[in-house]
Amino acid sequence: MRSATPLSVSLEQIGDSITVRPVGEVDMSSVPMLGDSVRRALEKHRPESITLDLTAVSFIDARGLHALVMSDRLARKDGCRLRIKCGNAVRRMIELTHVGISCG
């Protein structure tokens, strides 16, 4: 059994762009935190683009992948471009599952 690493999420604004940077594991218990962070960034800052920097995510499950897909849809609906920057754990899951999102 693996030991869960709690998720923390930081936001950084540079001009009309926001970087959302989760650190830890994105799983059933932490997905709401990730989704809320992206939603808050869209609502509060109305950025032209969001970079979801997942390079420090050590684990992601199917619910986490679903949150990425939903975040992309939400951003597009608001006219915002979502760029996903992947680390190895996330890239591997995206490649294995073919969820229709890509790492940039």
Side-chain angles (χ1 to χ4, degrees):
M1 177 182 232
R2 70 181 171 80
S3 173
T5 304
L7 188 71
S8 64
V9 180
S10 65
L11 275 72
E12 178 183 5
Q13 182 174 6
I14 300 174
D16 289 335
S17 182
I18 300 283
T19 297
V20 177
R21 189 172 289 114
V23 176
E25 296 186 359
V26 180
D27 60 17
M28 165 172 86
S29 64
S30 61
V31 160
M33 181 188 298
L34 178 61
D36 289 346
S37 297
V38 172
R39 195 170 15 266
R40 273 195 323 273
L42 286 166
E43 291 171 358
K44 183 177 179 184
H45 302 285
R46 297 287 182 204
E48 289 182 13
S49 67
I50 292 179
T51 298
L52 191 49
D53 182 348
L54 304 172
T55 56
V57 170
S58 57
F59 173 82
I60 190 165
D61 67 6
R63 291 180 194 200
L65 291 176
H66 183 260
L68 298 182
V69 171
M70 297 311 292
S71 293
D72 184 54
R73 288 182 185 165
L74 184 61
R76 288 175 194 250
K77 182 180 170 191
D78 276 10
C80 178
R81 187 182 63 127
L82 180 71
R83 178 175 170 254
I84 300 174
K85 194 172 170 185
C86 297
N88 291 336
V90 176
R91 182 180 313 281
R92 203 171 356 206
M93 283 297 286
I94 287 173
E95 289 172 356
L96 287 172
T97 59
H98 306 285
V99 293
I101 54 177
S102 62
C103 298

